[in-house]
Amino acid sequence: MGTKGKKGSGRYARLLEPSPYAADGGEKVGRLPRKIPVGVLRELRHPESPIKAIRANCVDCSGGQVAEVRKCVAVSCALWPFRMGVNPFYGKGSE
């Protein structure tokens, strides 16, 4: 998780909250992104579009090697069609 010490402590603590489910025993869970101010989300420096987030995930999955994303053969992965950072379904009709 990248924080030291108790789960939920440290610089990401404001992004967590106690689970609303009693069965979780008060464990911390991620807050809903819509309830976090945009400025706080931007501080995380994550991509702001789903397509860019998918691309970033694919680069991470490929060991940080951008060239390997193009060569990916994990065609059963739900993100595979989007790995190049574009939506291949956008603007296409049935063929």
Side-chain angles (χ1 to χ4, degrees):
M1 183 163 144
T3 60
K4 292 183 179 180
K6 184 179 170 189
K7 183 178 180 182
S9 64
R11 66 186 215 184
Y12 297 117
R14 64 186 173 168
L15 303 174
L16 305 176
E17 64 186 8
S19 173
Y21 304 104
D24 290 337
E27 279 289 316
K28 298 282 186 171
V29 297
R31 290 177 54 199
L32 296 174
R34 287 187 177 188
K35 294 186 177 184
I36 300 172
V38 173
V40 172
L41 290 173
R42 286 194 171 125
E43 288 175 16
L44 297 172
R45 304 183 68 78
H46 290 304
E48 291 191 26
S49 79
I51 291 292
K52 288 181 181 181
I54 290 169
R55 172 71 175 180
N57 185 77
C58 292
V59 170
D60 183 56
C61 181
S62 297
Q65 300 297 314
V66 175
E68 294 301 313
V69 175
R70 166 65 178 82
K71 300 173 188 176
C72 178
V73 296
V75 296
S76 63
C77 174
L79 304 179
W80 187 82
F82 308 96
R83 73 192 190 284
M84 299 307 295
V86 296
N87 182 345
F89 301 104
Y90 181 77
K92 289 186 178 181
S94 60
E95 296 177 21

